[in-house]
Amino acid sequence: MKEIVRLDPTNIAGFVDLFRSAFNAPPWNDGWSSEAASERLQLFASFPTFLGVGLLHDSRAVGLALGWGERWADGWTFYLKEMCTEPSFQRQGVGTSLMNALENSLRQQGFDSINLQTGRTAPAANFYEQRGFRSLDLVSLAKRL
């Protein structure tokens, strides 16, 4: 049985193994430890404008989508920070179910838009484009310290 749940600080730990499984697999191959993944998800869940949804299949975490809202001059924008599906559940509608649930929740709360970042050539880019997301004329910059 599949169930969409609202994520919060009390249940986010149940999604750490999913996060690691998804982002330690291709194409990401990130190398997340349990400790680092747990710290990241707990930090996100503690943000004042945090919103996240998870998908459970027979009580097992198989997908998540989460981020937070920021106020801009003309309304609220949601920043989707992480979205993933258990590799064995990919291409089975989990991502679509998560995005539908997230978008419905955001609309109900008065959000105007969703922003996200993903790799230009990552399979996720096609998923988001098929859902109506469009590339922005922005540059993403980083610097190692």
Side-chain angles (χ1 to χ4, degrees):
M1 181 171 102
K2 292 182 182 176
E3 174 188 12
I4 297 281
V5 297
R6 185 83 177 254
L7 299 178
D8 62 42
T10 66
N11 67 1
I12 197 82
F15 290 80
V16 170
D17 289 342
L18 158 68
F19 182 88
R20 292 184 66 234
S21 176
F23 288 111
N24 287 345
W28 311 110
N29 303 308
D30 287 341
W32 286 96
S33 68
S34 291
E35 181 182 348
S38 178
E39 185 177 353
R40 181 172 179 82
L41 296 181
Q42 286 292 342
L43 177 67
F44 286 166
S46 71
F47 283 20
T49 57
F50 172 80
L51 188 111
V53 292
L55 189 117
L56 301 175
H57 179 75
D58 294 333
S59 301
R60 177 180 162 213
V62 297
L64 67 77
L66 58 82
W68 58 80
E70 291 185 12
R71 178 72 169 128
W72 283 91
D74 60 351
W76 281 86
T77 296
F78 184 78
Y79 288 85
L80 182 63
K81 293 299 292 180
E82 300 292 0
M83 180 172 172
C84 63
T85 301
E86 171 66 39
S88 64
F89 281 80
Q90 291 175 355
R91 302 195 185 290
Q92 297 181 34
V94 171
T96 297
S97 294
L98 286 168
M99 284 303 293
N100 289 342
L102 180 66
E103 289 176 11
N104 289 337
S105 184
L106 292 171
R107 276 188 210 93
Q108 290 173 0
Q109 293 185 40
F111 282 88
D112 301 305
S113 62
I114 302 173
N115 283 14
L116 64 89
Q117 289 184 321
T118 193
R120 186 177 317 274
T121 61
N126 291 332
F127 171 81
Y128 294 120
E129 288 172 351
Q130 290 172 359
R131 297 204 46 85
F133 285 80
R134 297 292 170 249
S135 182
L136 299 175
D137 188 22
L138 298 173
V139 175
S140 186
L141 303 170
K143 178 181 179 180
R144 298 274 314 158
L145 298 178

